[in-house]
Amino acid sequence: GSAADSKRRATDAAYRFMSTVGGDLPHYEEVSRALFAGDRARLQSLVSDWPADVADHLRALTTHIDGGATGN
């Protein structure tokens, strides 16, 4: 598949995880917007109030969205 397909699959996986586990957590809607906007810096800031294991896993999933680069 193409890079765009890989990015879409990674974004979908991150969204499925966060909607299943994080739907009731603070800033969920804003985290979702940041995810789909590709704003990883904002996403990482917003999930700082989430349980560490959940936030860490979501951060790990988002590294696959842009090939493992950090930041935005």
Side-chain angles (χ1 to χ4, degrees):
S2 71
D5 288 339
S6 294
K7 181 176 181 174
R8 181 188 48 77
R9 283 192 304 272
T11 300
D12 289 348
Y15 180 72
R16 281 192 308 272
F17 171 75
M18 64 175 274
S19 65
T20 300
V21 177
D24 291 328
L25 293 174
H27 314 296
Y28 171 80
E29 292 293 328
E30 288 298 315
V31 172
S32 179
R33 288 184 190 100
L35 173 67
F36 286 102
D39 189 347
R40 287 190 51 218
R42 178 148 172 78
L43 182 146
Q44 291 187 25
S45 173
L46 289 166
V47 299
S48 64
D49 292 338
W50 288 18
D53 57 342
V54 175
D56 290 346
H57 189 66
L58 182 59
R59 287 182 187 116
L61 290 171
T62 64
T63 64
H64 300 290
I65 291 172
D66 55 8
T70 59
N72 184 3

Short mmCIF file of all heavy atoms in Angstrom, two decimals:
data_model
loop_
_atom_site.label_atom_id
_atom_site.label_comp_id
_atom_site.label_asym_id
_atom_site.label_seq_id
_atom_site.Cartn_x
_atom_site.Cartn_y
_atom_site.Cartn_z
N GLY A 1 0.82 -1.19 0.00
CA GLY A 1 0.00 0.00 0.00
C GLY A 1 0.86 1.25 0.00
O GLY A 1 2.06 1.22 0.21
N SER A 2 0.23 2.33 -0.28
CA SER A 2 0.92 3.62 -0.33
C SER A 2 1.17 4.18 1.06
O SER A 2 0.62 3.70 2.05
CB SER A 2 0.10 4.60 -1.15
OG SER A 2 -1.06 4.98 -0.43
N ALA A 3 1.97 5.23 1.10
CA ALA A 3 2.23 5.91 2.37
C ALA A 3 0.93 6.48 2.93
O ALA A 3 0.71 6.46 4.15
CB ALA A 3 3.27 7.01 2.18
N ALA A 4 0.06 6.98 2.06
CA ALA A 4 -1.22 7.53 2.52
C ALA A 4 -2.08 6.45 3.15
O ALA A 4 -2.75 6.69 4.15
CB ALA A 4 -1.96 8.20 1.36
N ASP A 5 -2.06 5.25 2.56
CA ASP A 5 -2.82 4.13 3.13
C ASP A 5 -2.27 3.75 4.50
O ASP A 5 -3.02 3.48 5.43
CB ASP A 5 -2.78 2.91 2.21
CG ASP A 5 -3.60 3.07 0.95
OD1 ASP A 5 -4.52 3.93 0.94
OD2 ASP A 5 -3.33 2.34 -0.02
N SER A 6 -0.95 3.72 4.62
CA SER A 6 -0.33 3.39 5.90
C SER A 6 -0.69 4.42 6.96
O SER A 6 -0.99 4.07 8.10
CB SER A 6 1.19 3.32 5.75
OG SER A 6 1.53 2.24 4.92
N LYS A 7 -0.65 5.69 6.57
CA LYS A 7 -1.01 6.76 7.51
C LYS A 7 -2.46 6.63 7.95
O LYS A 7 -2.78 6.76 9.13
CB LYS A 7 -0.76 8.12 6.86
CG LYS A 7 -1.07 9.28 7.77
CD LYS A 7 -0.73 10.60 7.11
CE LYS A 7 -1.04 11.75 8.06
NZ LYS A 7 -0.61 13.03 7.55
N ARG A 8 -3.35 6.34 7.00
CA ARG A 8 -4.77 6.19 7.32
C ARG A 8 -4.99 5.02 8.27
O ARG A 8 -5.72 5.12 9.25
CB ARG A 8 -5.60 6.00 6.05
CG ARG A 8 -7.10 5.85 6.33
CD ARG A 8 -7.90 5.47 5.10
NE ARG A 8 -7.34 4.37 4.33
CZ ARG A 8 -7.44 3.08 4.68
NH1 ARG A 8 -8.05 2.73 5.80
NH2 ARG A 8 -6.92 2.14 3.92
N ARG A 9 -4.33 3.90 7.99
CA ARG A 9 -4.47 2.72 8.87
C ARG A 9 -3.96 3.02 10.28
O ARG A 9 -4.57 2.62 11.27
CB ARG A 9 -3.76 1.51 8.26
CG ARG A 9 -4.53 0.87 7.13
CD ARG A 9 -3.95 -0.49 6.74
NE ARG A 9 -2.54 -0.42 6.37
CZ ARG A 9 -2.09 -0.16 5.14
NH1 ARG A 9 -2.94 0.07 4.17
NH2 ARG A 9 -0.79 -0.13 4.90
N ALA A 10 -2.83 3.70 10.38
CA ALA A 10 -2.27 4.03 11.69
C ALA A 10 -3.18 5.01 12.44
O ALA A 10 -3.40 4.86 13.65
CB ALA A 10 -0.87 4.62 11.53
N THR A 11 -3.72 5.99 11.73
CA THR A 11 -4.65 6.93 12.35
C THR A 11 -5.90 6.21 12.83
O THR A 11 -6.38 6.44 13.94
CB THR A 11 -5.02 8.07 11.37
OG1 THR A 11 -3.83 8.75 10.99
CG2 THR A 11 -5.98 9.06 12.01
N ASP A 12 -6.42 5.32 12.00
CA ASP A 12 -7.61 4.55 12.37
C ASP A 12 -7.35 3.69 13.60
O ASP A 12 -8.20 3.60 14.50
CB ASP A 12 -8.08 3.67 11.22
CG ASP A 12 -8.70 4.44 10.07
OD1 ASP A 12 -8.99 5.65 10.23
OD2 ASP A 12 -8.89 3.83 9.00
N ALA A 13 -6.18 3.07 13.67
CA ALA A 13 -5.84 2.24 14.83
C ALA A 13 -5.76 3.08 16.09
O ALA A 13 -6.28 2.69 17.15
CB ALA A 13 -4.52 1.50 14.59
N ALA A 14 -5.13 4.25 15.99
CA ALA A 14 -5.04 5.14 17.16
C ALA A 14 -6.42 5.60 17.58
O ALA A 14 -6.73 5.63 18.78
CB ALA A 14 -4.15 6.33 16.83
N TYR A 15 -7.27 5.93 16.61
CA TYR A 15 -8.63 6.38 16.94
C TYR A 15 -9.44 5.25 17.58
O TYR A 15 -10.15 5.48 18.56
CB TYR A 15 -9.35 6.90 15.70
CG TYR A 15 -10.74 7.35 16.02
CD1 TYR A 15 -10.95 8.52 16.75
CD2 TYR A 15 -11.84 6.60 15.65
CE1 TYR A 15 -12.23 8.92 17.09
CE2 TYR A 15 -13.11 7.00 15.98
CZ TYR A 15 -13.31 8.16 16.70
OH TYR A 15 -14.58 8.55 17.05
N ARG A 16 -9.34 4.05 17.04
CA ARG A 16 -10.09 2.92 17.64
C ARG A 16 -9.66 2.71 19.09
O ARG A 16 -10.50 2.50 19.97
CB ARG A 16 -9.87 1.64 16.83
CG ARG A 16 -10.71 1.58 15.58
CD ARG A 16 -10.69 0.19 14.94
NE ARG A 16 -9.35 -0.33 14.71
CZ ARG A 16 -8.63 -0.11 13.61
NH1 ARG A 16 -9.10 0.62 12.64
NH2 ARG A 16 -7.43 -0.64 13.50
N PHE A 17 -8.36 2.76 19.34
CA PHE A 17 -7.87 2.59 20.71
C PHE A 17 -8.42 3.69 21.61
O PHE A 17 -8.98 3.42 22.67
CB PHE A 17 -6.34 2.57 20.75
CG PHE A 17 -5.81 2.63 22.15
CD1 PHE A 17 -5.86 1.51 22.96
CD2 PHE A 17 -5.29 3.81 22.67
CE1 PHE A 17 -5.39 1.57 24.28
CE2 PHE A 17 -4.83 3.87 23.97
CZ PHE A 17 -4.87 2.75 24.78
N MET A 18 -8.26 4.94 21.20
CA MET A 18 -8.66 6.03 22.08
C MET A 18 -10.16 6.10 22.26
O MET A 18 -10.63 6.46 23.34
CB MET A 18 -8.09 7.38 21.64
CG MET A 18 -8.58 7.87 20.32
SD MET A 18 -7.96 9.53 19.96
CE MET A 18 -9.20 10.50 20.77
N SER A 19 -10.94 5.73 21.25
CA SER A 19 -12.39 5.77 21.41
C SER A 19 -12.88 4.65 22.32
O SER A 19 -13.86 4.82 23.05
CB SER A 19 -13.09 5.73 20.06
OG SER A 19 -12.87 4.50 19.41
N THR A 20 -12.18 3.52 22.32
CA THR A 20 -12.55 2.40 23.18
C THR A 20 -12.13 2.64 24.62
O THR A 20 -12.90 2.41 25.55
CB THR A 20 -11.90 1.10 22.66
OG1 THR A 20 -12.36 0.86 21.33
CG2 THR A 20 -12.25 -0.08 23.55
N VAL A 21 -10.92 3.11 24.81
CA VAL A 21 -10.35 3.23 26.15
C VAL A 21 -10.50 4.63 26.73
O VAL A 21 -10.66 4.80 27.94
CB VAL A 21 -8.86 2.81 26.13
CG1 VAL A 21 -8.21 2.99 27.48
CG2 VAL A 21 -8.73 1.38 25.65
N GLY A 22 -10.44 5.65 25.87
CA GLY A 22 -10.37 7.02 26.37
C GLY A 22 -11.62 7.86 26.19
O GLY A 22 -11.58 9.06 26.45
N GLY A 23 -12.71 7.26 25.76
CA GLY A 23 -13.92 8.03 25.46
C GLY A 23 -14.44 8.89 26.59
O GLY A 23 -15.06 9.92 26.34
N ASP A 24 -14.19 8.48 27.83
CA ASP A 24 -14.67 9.25 28.98
C ASP A 24 -13.56 10.06 29.64
O ASP A 24 -13.79 10.67 30.69
CB ASP A 24 -15.28 8.30 30.02
CG ASP A 24 -16.58 7.67 29.53
OD1 ASP A 24 -17.31 8.34 28.76
OD2 ASP A 24 -16.85 6.52 29.90
N LEU A 25 -12.39 10.08 29.06
CA LEU A 25 -11.27 10.80 29.66
C LEU A 25 -11.29 12.28 29.29
O LEU A 25 -11.91 12.66 28.29
CB LEU A 25 -9.95 10.15 29.22
CG LEU A 25 -9.74 8.73 29.74
CD1 LEU A 25 -8.49 8.12 29.14
CD2 LEU A 25 -9.65 8.72 31.26
N PRO A 26 -10.61 13.10 30.09
CA PRO A 26 -10.61 14.55 29.83
C PRO A 26 -10.07 14.87 28.44
O PRO A 26 -9.13 14.23 27.97
CB PRO A 26 -9.66 15.12 30.89
CG PRO A 26 -9.53 14.07 31.93
CD PRO A 26 -9.80 12.75 31.26
N HIS A 27 -10.68 15.86 27.82
CA HIS A 27 -10.23 16.40 26.53
C HIS A 27 -10.37 15.41 25.38
O HIS A 27 -9.75 15.60 24.33
CB HIS A 27 -8.78 16.88 26.59
CG HIS A 27 -8.45 17.70 27.79
ND1 HIS A 27 -9.02 18.93 28.02
CD2 HIS A 27 -7.61 17.46 28.82
CE1 HIS A 27 -8.54 19.41 29.15
NE2 HIS A 27 -7.69 18.54 29.66
N TYR A 28 -11.19 14.37 25.53
CA TYR A 28 -11.30 13.36 24.49
C TYR A 28 -11.59 13.97 23.12
O TYR A 28 -10.94 13.62 22.13
CB TYR A 28 -12.39 12.32 24.84
CG TYR A 28 -12.68 11.41 23.70
CD1 TYR A 28 -11.85 10.33 23.42
CD2 TYR A 28 -13.77 11.63 22.86
CE1 TYR A 28 -12.09 9.49 22.35
CE2 TYR A 28 -14.02 10.80 21.79
CZ TYR A 28 -13.19 9.74 21.55
OH TYR A 28 -13.42 8.91 20.47
N GLU A 29 -12.57 14.87 23.05
CA GLU A 29 -12.93 15.45 21.75
C GLU A 29 -11.76 16.24 21.15
O GLU A 29 -11.51 16.17 19.95
CB GLU A 29 -14.16 16.36 21.89
CG GLU A 29 -15.44 15.60 22.21
CD GLU A 29 -15.89 14.70 21.07
OE1 GLU A 29 -15.65 15.04 19.91
OE2 GLU A 29 -16.48 13.65 21.37
N GLU A 30 -11.06 16.99 22.00
CA GLU A 30 -9.91 17.76 21.51
C GLU A 30 -8.77 16.84 21.07
O GLU A 30 -8.08 17.13 20.09
CB GLU A 30 -9.43 18.74 22.58
CG GLU A 30 -10.37 19.91 22.79
CD GLU A 30 -10.52 20.74 21.53
OE1 GLU A 30 -9.52 21.05 20.87
OE2 GLU A 30 -11.67 21.09 21.20
N VAL A 31 -8.57 15.75 21.78
CA VAL A 31 -7.55 14.78 21.39
C VAL A 31 -7.90 14.19 20.03
O VAL A 31 -7.04 14.05 19.16
CB VAL A 31 -7.37 13.68 22.47
CG1 VAL A 31 -6.45 12.57 21.97
CG2 VAL A 31 -6.86 14.26 23.77
N SER A 32 -9.17 13.87 19.84
CA SER A 32 -9.62 13.33 18.56
C SER A 32 -9.37 14.32 17.43
O SER A 32 -8.85 13.96 16.36
CB SER A 32 -11.11 12.99 18.65
OG SER A 32 -11.58 12.49 17.43
N ARG A 33 -9.69 15.58 17.67
CA ARG A 33 -9.44 16.61 16.64
C ARG A 33 -7.95 16.73 16.32
O ARG A 33 -7.56 16.84 15.16
CB ARG A 33 -9.99 17.96 17.10
CG ARG A 33 -11.50 18.03 17.09
CD ARG A 33 -11.99 19.43 17.46
NE ARG A 33 -13.41 19.41 17.67
CZ ARG A 33 -14.02 19.36 18.86
NH1 ARG A 33 -13.31 19.36 19.96
NH2 ARG A 33 -15.32 19.34 18.93
N ALA A 34 -7.13 16.71 17.36
CA ALA A 34 -5.69 16.81 17.16
C ALA A 34 -5.17 15.61 16.37
O ALA A 34 -4.31 15.75 15.50
CB ALA A 34 -4.97 16.94 18.50
N LEU A 35 -5.69 14.43 16.67
CA LEU A 35 -5.28 13.22 15.96
C LEU A 35 -5.53 13.37 14.46
O LEU A 35 -4.64 13.16 13.64
CB LEU A 35 -6.02 12.01 16.51
CG LEU A 35 -5.81 10.70 15.75
CD1 LEU A 35 -4.36 10.23 15.91
CD2 LEU A 35 -6.78 9.64 16.24
N PHE A 36 -6.75 13.75 14.11
CA PHE A 36 -7.10 13.82 12.70
C PHE A 36 -6.50 15.04 12.01
O PHE A 36 -6.35 15.04 10.78
CB PHE A 36 -8.62 13.75 12.51
CG PHE A 36 -9.13 12.36 12.74
CD1 PHE A 36 -9.76 12.02 13.92
CD2 PHE A 36 -8.94 11.38 11.78
CE1 PHE A 36 -10.22 10.73 14.14
CE2 PHE A 36 -9.39 10.07 11.99
CZ PHE A 36 -10.03 9.75 13.17
N ALA A 37 -6.12 16.05 12.77
CA ALA A 37 -5.45 17.21 12.20
C ALA A 37 -3.95 16.97 12.03
O ALA A 37 -3.25 17.77 11.41
CB ALA A 37 -5.67 18.44 13.07
N GLY A 38 -3.47 15.87 12.60
CA GLY A 38 -2.04 15.58 12.53
C GLY A 38 -1.21 16.43 13.48
O GLY A 38 0.00 16.56 13.30
N ASP A 39 -1.86 16.99 14.50
CA ASP A 39 -1.18 17.87 15.46
C ASP A 39 -0.73 17.04 16.66
O ASP A 39 -1.35 17.04 17.71
CB ASP A 39 -2.12 18.99 15.87
CG ASP A 39 -1.44 20.07 16.70
OD1 ASP A 39 -0.30 19.85 17.17
OD2 ASP A 39 -2.06 21.13 16.88
N ARG A 40 0.39 16.35 16.49
CA ARG A 40 0.87 15.45 17.55
C ARG A 40 1.30 16.21 18.79
O ARG A 40 1.14 15.70 19.91
CB ARG A 40 2.00 14.57 17.04
CG ARG A 40 1.45 13.50 16.09
CD ARG A 40 2.44 12.45 15.71
NE ARG A 40 3.09 11.87 16.87
CZ ARG A 40 4.38 11.54 16.89
NH1 ARG A 40 5.15 11.75 15.85
NH2 ARG A 40 4.90 11.00 17.96
N ALA A 41 1.84 17.40 18.64
CA ALA A 41 2.26 18.18 19.80
C ALA A 41 1.05 18.49 20.68
O ALA A 41 1.11 18.35 21.90
CB ALA A 41 2.97 19.46 19.38
N ARG A 42 -0.04 18.91 20.06
CA ARG A 42 -1.27 19.21 20.82
C ARG A 42 -1.84 17.94 21.45
O ARG A 42 -2.24 17.93 22.60
CB ARG A 42 -2.30 19.88 19.93
CG ARG A 42 -3.60 20.18 20.66
CD ARG A 42 -4.28 21.42 20.13
NE ARG A 42 -5.60 21.62 20.68
CZ ARG A 42 -5.85 22.09 21.89
NH1 ARG A 42 -4.86 22.43 22.69
NH2 ARG A 42 -7.09 22.24 22.31
N LEU A 43 -1.85 16.86 20.68
CA LEU A 43 -2.36 15.59 21.19
C LEU A 43 -1.56 15.18 22.43
O LEU A 43 -2.15 14.85 23.46
CB LEU A 43 -2.26 14.52 20.11
CG LEU A 43 -2.79 13.15 20.47
CD1 LEU A 43 -3.41 12.48 19.26
CD2 LEU A 43 -1.72 12.26 21.05
N GLN A 44 -0.25 15.24 22.35
CA GLN A 44 0.59 14.83 23.47
C GLN A 44 0.35 15.70 24.69
O GLN A 44 0.34 15.20 25.83
CB GLN A 44 2.05 14.82 23.07
CG GLN A 44 2.34 13.71 22.08
CD GLN A 44 3.80 13.55 21.78
OE1 GLN A 44 4.65 13.92 22.57
NE2 GLN A 44 4.10 12.98 20.63
N SER A 45 0.13 16.98 24.48
CA SER A 45 -0.15 17.88 25.59
C SER A 45 -1.49 17.54 26.24
O SER A 45 -1.61 17.49 27.46
CB SER A 45 -0.14 19.32 25.09
OG SER A 45 -0.57 20.19 26.10
N LEU A 46 -2.50 17.30 25.41
CA LEU A 46 -3.85 17.04 25.92
C LEU A 46 -3.94 15.73 26.70
O LEU A 46 -4.70 15.64 27.66
CB LEU A 46 -4.85 17.03 24.77
CG LEU A 46 -5.15 18.38 24.13
CD1 LEU A 46 -5.86 18.19 22.80
CD2 LEU A 46 -5.97 19.25 25.07
N VAL A 47 -3.20 14.71 26.29
CA VAL A 47 -3.31 13.42 26.97
C VAL A 47 -2.47 13.36 28.25
O VAL A 47 -2.47 12.33 28.92
CB VAL A 47 -2.99 12.22 26.05
CG1 VAL A 47 -3.95 12.17 24.88
CG2 VAL A 47 -1.55 12.21 25.59
N SER A 48 -1.83 14.44 28.60
CA SER A 48 -1.02 14.44 29.82
C SER A 48 -1.87 14.22 31.07
O SER A 48 -1.35 13.79 32.09
CB SER A 48 -0.21 15.73 29.94
OG SER A 48 -1.07 16.84 30.08
N ASP A 49 -3.17 14.48 30.99
CA ASP A 49 -4.08 14.24 32.12
C ASP A 49 -4.63 12.82 32.13
O ASP A 49 -5.34 12.45 33.05
CB ASP A 49 -5.28 15.20 32.06
CG ASP A 49 -4.89 16.64 32.31
OD1 ASP A 49 -3.82 16.88 32.92
OD2 ASP A 49 -5.64 17.53 31.90
N TRP A 50 -4.34 12.05 31.10
CA TRP A 50 -4.85 10.68 31.01
C TRP A 50 -3.96 9.74 31.83
O TRP A 50 -2.80 10.06 32.12
CB TRP A 50 -4.86 10.23 29.56
CG TRP A 50 -5.93 10.89 28.71
CD1 TRP A 50 -6.62 12.03 29.00
CD2 TRP A 50 -6.39 10.46 27.44
NE1 TRP A 50 -7.49 12.32 27.97
CE2 TRP A 50 -7.37 11.38 27.01
CE3 TRP A 50 -6.06 9.39 26.62
CZ2 TRP A 50 -8.03 11.24 25.79
CZ3 TRP A 50 -6.72 9.25 25.41
CH2 TRP A 50 -7.70 10.16 25.01
N PRO A 51 -4.49 8.57 32.20
CA PRO A 51 -3.63 7.58 32.87
C PRO A 51 -2.39 7.32 32.02
O PRO A 51 -2.47 7.24 30.78
CB PRO A 51 -4.51 6.34 32.96
CG PRO A 51 -5.92 6.88 32.93
CD PRO A 51 -5.86 8.08 32.03
N ALA A 52 -1.26 7.19 32.67
CA ALA A 52 0.02 7.10 31.96
C ALA A 52 0.06 5.97 30.95
O ALA A 52 0.54 6.16 29.83
CB ALA A 52 1.17 6.95 32.97
N ASP A 53 -0.47 4.79 31.31
CA ASP A 53 -0.40 3.67 30.38
C ASP A 53 -1.24 3.92 29.13
O ASP A 53 -0.84 3.57 28.02
CB ASP A 53 -0.76 2.35 31.05
CG ASP A 53 -2.14 2.34 31.69
OD1 ASP A 53 -2.72 3.43 31.94
OD2 ASP A 53 -2.65 1.25 31.97
N VAL A 54 -2.37 4.56 29.28
CA VAL A 54 -3.25 4.87 28.15
C VAL A 54 -2.58 5.92 27.26
O VAL A 54 -2.50 5.77 26.04
CB VAL A 54 -4.63 5.33 28.63
CG1 VAL A 54 -5.50 5.78 27.46
CG2 VAL A 54 -5.33 4.23 29.42
N ALA A 55 -2.10 7.00 27.88
CA ALA A 55 -1.44 8.06 27.12
C ALA A 55 -0.20 7.53 26.41
O ALA A 55 0.02 7.85 25.23
CB ALA A 55 -1.07 9.21 28.06
N ASP A 56 0.58 6.72 27.08
CA ASP A 56 1.79 6.16 26.47
C ASP A 56 1.47 5.29 25.27
O ASP A 56 2.15 5.35 24.24
CB ASP A 56 2.60 5.36 27.49
CG ASP A 56 3.26 6.24 28.55
OD1 ASP A 56 3.32 7.48 28.37
OD2 ASP A 56 3.72 5.67 29.56
N HIS A 57 0.43 4.48 25.39
CA HIS A 57 0.06 3.60 24.27
C HIS A 57 -0.45 4.42 23.09
O HIS A 57 -0.09 4.14 21.94
CB HIS A 57 -0.97 2.56 24.70
CG HIS A 57 -1.21 1.53 23.65
ND1 HIS A 57 -0.25 0.63 23.26
CD2 HIS A 57 -2.29 1.29 22.88
CE1 HIS A 57 -0.73 -0.14 22.30
NE2 HIS A 57 -1.97 0.24 22.04
N LEU A 58 -1.25 5.44 23.36
CA LEU A 58 -1.74 6.29 22.28
C LEU A 58 -0.57 7.01 21.61
O LEU A 58 -0.50 7.08 20.38
CB LEU A 58 -2.77 7.29 22.79
CG LEU A 58 -3.37 8.20 21.71
CD1 LEU A 58 -4.06 7.38 20.61
CD2 LEU A 58 -4.35 9.18 22.34
N ARG A 59 0.36 7.51 22.40
CA ARG A 59 1.54 8.16 21.83
C ARG A 59 2.31 7.18 20.95
O ARG A 59 2.79 7.53 19.87
CB ARG A 59 2.44 8.70 22.93
CG ARG A 59 1.89 9.93 23.61
CD ARG A 59 2.86 10.44 24.67
NE ARG A 59 2.29 11.51 25.44
CZ ARG A 59 2.03 11.45 26.74
NH1 ARG A 59 2.32 10.37 27.43
NH2 ARG A 59 1.50 12.49 27.36
N ALA A 60 2.46 5.94 21.41
CA ALA A 60 3.17 4.93 20.62
C ALA A 60 2.44 4.67 19.30
O ALA A 60 3.07 4.55 18.25
CB ALA A 60 3.31 3.64 21.42
N LEU A 61 1.13 4.59 19.35
CA LEU A 61 0.36 4.38 18.13
C LEU A 61 0.52 5.54 17.15
O LEU A 61 0.60 5.33 15.94
CB LEU A 61 -1.12 4.17 18.44
CG LEU A 61 -1.49 2.86 19.12
CD1 LEU A 61 -2.94 2.88 19.57
CD2 LEU A 61 -1.22 1.67 18.20
N THR A 62 0.60 6.75 17.67
CA THR A 62 0.71 7.90 16.78
C THR A 62 2.08 8.00 16.13
O THR A 62 2.22 8.66 15.10
CB THR A 62 0.37 9.24 17.48
OG1 THR A 62 1.30 9.50 18.52
CG2 THR A 62 -1.06 9.23 18.01
N THR A 63 3.09 7.35 16.68
CA THR A 63 4.40 7.38 16.02
C THR A 63 4.35 6.67 14.67
O THR A 63 5.15 6.97 13.80
CB THR A 63 5.51 6.75 16.88
OG1 THR A 63 5.24 5.38 17.07
CG2 THR A 63 5.67 7.47 18.20
N HIS A 64 3.41 5.76 14.49
CA HIS A 64 3.28 5.04 13.23
C HIS A 64 2.56 5.85 12.16
O HIS A 64 2.59 5.49 10.99
CB HIS A 64 2.55 3.71 13.45
CG HIS A 64 3.25 2.82 14.41
ND1 HIS A 64 4.45 2.21 14.10
CD2 HIS A 64 2.95 2.45 15.67
CE1 HIS A 64 4.84 1.50 15.14
NE2 HIS A 64 3.96 1.63 16.10
N ILE A 65 1.95 6.95 12.56
CA ILE A 65 1.19 7.76 11.60
C ILE A 65 2.14 8.46 10.63
O ILE A 65 1.88 8.52 9.45
CB ILE A 65 0.29 8.77 12.33
CG1 ILE A 65 -0.82 8.01 13.05
CG2 ILE A 65 -0.29 9.79 11.35
CD1 ILE A 65 -1.67 8.86 13.96
N ASP A 66 3.24 8.95 11.14
CA ASP A 66 4.15 9.69 10.26
C ASP A 66 5.53 9.04 10.19
O ASP A 66 6.54 9.71 10.13
CB ASP A 66 4.25 11.16 10.68
CG ASP A 66 4.64 11.33 12.13
OD1 ASP A 66 4.98 10.33 12.79
OD2 ASP A 66 4.61 12.47 12.61
N GLY A 67 5.51 7.73 10.27
CA GLY A 67 6.75 7.01 10.09
C GLY A 67 7.70 7.04 11.27
O GLY A 67 8.88 6.79 11.13
N GLY A 68 7.20 7.39 12.45
CA GLY A 68 8.02 7.37 13.64
C GLY A 68 8.67 8.68 13.98
O GLY A 68 9.40 8.78 14.95
N ALA A 69 8.42 9.73 13.20
CA ALA A 69 8.99 11.04 13.52
C ALA A 69 8.35 11.58 14.77
O ALA A 69 7.22 11.25 15.11
CB ALA A 69 8.77 12.00 12.36
N THR A 70 9.05 12.42 15.47
CA THR A 70 8.51 13.03 16.68
C THR A 70 8.06 14.44 16.40
O THR A 70 8.48 15.05 15.41
CB THR A 70 9.55 13.04 17.82
OG1 THR A 70 10.68 13.76 17.37
CG2 THR A 70 9.92 11.63 18.23
N GLY A 71 7.21 14.96 17.25
CA GLY A 71 6.71 16.33 17.08
C GLY A 71 5.60 16.39 16.07
O GLY A 71 4.94 15.41 15.79
N ASN A 72 5.44 17.56 15.46
CA ASN A 72 4.36 17.74 14.50
C ASN A 72 4.91 17.82 13.11
O ASN A 72 5.83 18.39 12.76
CB ASN A 72 3.56 18.99 14.85
CG ASN A 72 2.37 19.20 13.96
OD1 ASN A 72 2.09 18.37 13.08
ND2 ASN A 72 1.67 20.29 14.18
#
